[in-house]
Amino acid sequence: SHPQTAGGTAVQVQASGGNLVVTWVQRDSGPAYVLQQSDTLAADSWTAVAGVTPVNAVDQTGVATGCTRKQATIPVAAGRRFLRVSASEG
């Protein structure tokens, strides 16, 4: 999939052991992508998820040229919160 085409799921989340694994496809050049969290969903409450570094997913099947499937693993013990992947131009 490609982040600029309709259809599909932009961000996927699944439980794995005591963690959540967040997966998304991002363009290799262009916007900066940041995994963010919020306790309330208020517009000014979103912050980067500290201590979590996204990596290239092992499975890149079906990913369009110029894009990469990324994954981030977040400990569930960090508490209940909302997550999103935000993309913004420099």
Side-chain angles (χ1 to χ4, degrees), residues 64-80:
T65 301
C67 298
T68 302
R69 182 174 289 122
K70 303 293 270 189
Q71 283 187 329
T73 302
I74 302 168
V76 174
R80 179 177 279 182

Side-chain angles (χ1 to χ4, degrees), residues 3-41:
Q4 290 184 308
T5 59
T9 302
V11 177
Q12 297 176 342
V13 179
Q14 78 179 77
S16 177
N19 301 310
L20 290 178
V21 178
V22 181
T23 306
W24 67 94
V25 174
Q26 67 182 46
R27 291 180 10 201
D28 294 335
S29 62
Y33 293 79
V34 178
L35 181 62
Q36 297 179 317
Q37 65 187 3
S38 171
D39 292 330
T40 66
L41 292 178

